[in-house]
């Protein structure tokens, strides 16, 4: 009697019984539902039930991925940091800043973002975990692009390599977030973004 010694090696391996396979389309539907639910009712009134209903899934699908609404929101907000913005490369500091401001302004003034950010900022004052996630989401993506703009300007000889980098990053990122999050101005004045880019470029060159 002969045996096939190779059989155990070629036999396909099966997933352990009961192992859950998390579908990516369901995960993305839940993430999208979080943004919509936050904009509609705010963090305090948001519930796993509401998120599941909006995503068209059962509560179990949510709990398989996140153990609470806090962890769900932290994950979604933190993910904003890695999405990033495209770093402009126009060959001139002022026009790089202008393009950055146009993209950032559209994002911040989107109806969903304009509802979510102030609400989460208020929650951040009471919850250190949300505060850390918000800081990462709002700072890291913007800082990465702004740093690329500064590095390109240094390479072209437009600004000094020894400039105060932290101050330059504050000058670049501060004004739009001030208007969007603090003042919550519904509309920017005519020509504001161009004037801001010009003034910021001049200020950075003076550092």
């Amino acid at each position: 009697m002969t045996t096939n010694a190779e059989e155990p090696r070629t036999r396909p391996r099966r997933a352990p019984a009961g192992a859950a396979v998390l579908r990516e389309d369901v995960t993305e539907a839940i993430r999208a539902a979080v943004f919509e639910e936050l904009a509609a009712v705010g963090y305090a009134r948001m519930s796993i039930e509401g998120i599941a209903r909006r995503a068209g899934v059962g509560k179990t699908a949510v709990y398989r991925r996140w153990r609470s609404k806090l962890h769900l929101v932290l994950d979604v907000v933190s993910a904003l940091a890695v999405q990033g913005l495209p770093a402009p490369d126009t060959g001139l500091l002022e026009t790089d800043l202008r393009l950055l401001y146009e993209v950032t302004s559209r994002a911040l003034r989107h109806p969903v973002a304009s509802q979510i950010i102030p609400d989460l900022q208020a929650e951040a004052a009471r919850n250190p975990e949300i505060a850390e996630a918000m800081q990462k989401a709002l700072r890291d993506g913007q800082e990465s692009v702004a740093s690329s703009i500064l590095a390109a300007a240094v390479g072209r000889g437009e600004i000094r390599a020894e400039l105060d980098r932290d101050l330059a990053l504050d000058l670049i990122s501060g004004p739009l977030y001030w208007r969007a999050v603090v003042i919550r101005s519904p509309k920017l004045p005519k020509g504001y973004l161009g004037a801001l880019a010009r003034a910021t470029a001049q200020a950075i060159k003076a550092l």
Side-chain angles (χ1 to χ4, degrees):
M1 180 176 178
T2 61
T3 59
N4 186 353
E6 296 299 316
E7 185 178 352
R9 299 181 186 178
T10 58
R11 186 174 294 162
R13 298 178 63 184
R14 294 182 179 179
V21 178
L22 302 181
R23 289 171 46 189
E24 187 61 27
D25 60 330
V26 173
T27 302
E28 290 307 311
I30 295 171
R31 286 194 172 112
V34 172
F35 283 108
E36 295 171 4
E37 192 75 358
L38 278 170
V41 303
Y43 177 81
R45 295 174 57 197
M46 188 180 76
S47 66
I48 295 294
E49 290 82 359
I51 293 168
R53 184 168 53 251
R54 195 179 288 273
V57 300
K59 289 192 298 181
T60 304
V62 181
Y63 281 119
R64 281 198 192 108
R65 293 161 173 82
W66 300 276
R67 64 179 182 268
S68 69
K69 80 169 185 177
L70 172 60
H71 290 91
L72 173 51
V73 170
L74 290 177
D75 174 67
V76 171
V77 171
S78 296
L80 292 174
V82 300
Q83 290 178 5
L85 297 168
D89 186 13
T90 66
L92 194 65
L93 176 60
E94 181 179 326
T95 49
D96 280 354
L97 291 173
R98 173 63 186 267
L99 286 178
L100 173 62
Y101 288 150
E102 288 176 352
V103 173
T104 304
S105 177
R106 284 197 297 270
L108 289 174
R109 295 164 68 81
H110 187 280
V112 174
S114 65
Q115 288 286 98
I116 290 175
I117 292 175
D119 181 62
L120 288 181
Q121 289 282 26
E123 290 295 332
R126 298 184 286 270
N127 190 313
E129 289 182 280
I130 291 182
E132 183 179 355
M134 284 294 292
Q135 183 184 40
K136 182 176 179 62
L138 293 177
R139 181 196 64 196
D140 288 5
Q142 185 81 192
E143 184 174 297
S144 175
V145 177
S147 294
S148 297
I149 290 175
L150 292 176
V154 169
R156 292 190 297 263
E158 286 189 87
I159 58 177
R160 298 185 311 111
E162 301 80 12
L163 88 170
D164 185 330
R165 181 177 174 276
D166 287 339
L167 180 55
L169 291 173
D170 286 346
L171 288 170
I172 292 172
S173 301
L176 286 183
Y177 283 99
W178 170 264
R179 279 190 168 271
V181 177
V182 181
I183 298 179
R184 301 188 69 181
S185 174
K187 187 176 181 181
L188 293 175
K190 184 177 180 180
Y192 177 81
L193 295 180
L196 177 60
R198 185 163 52 253
T200 304
Q202 292 171 354
I204 292 172
K205 290 176 182 179
L207 293 178

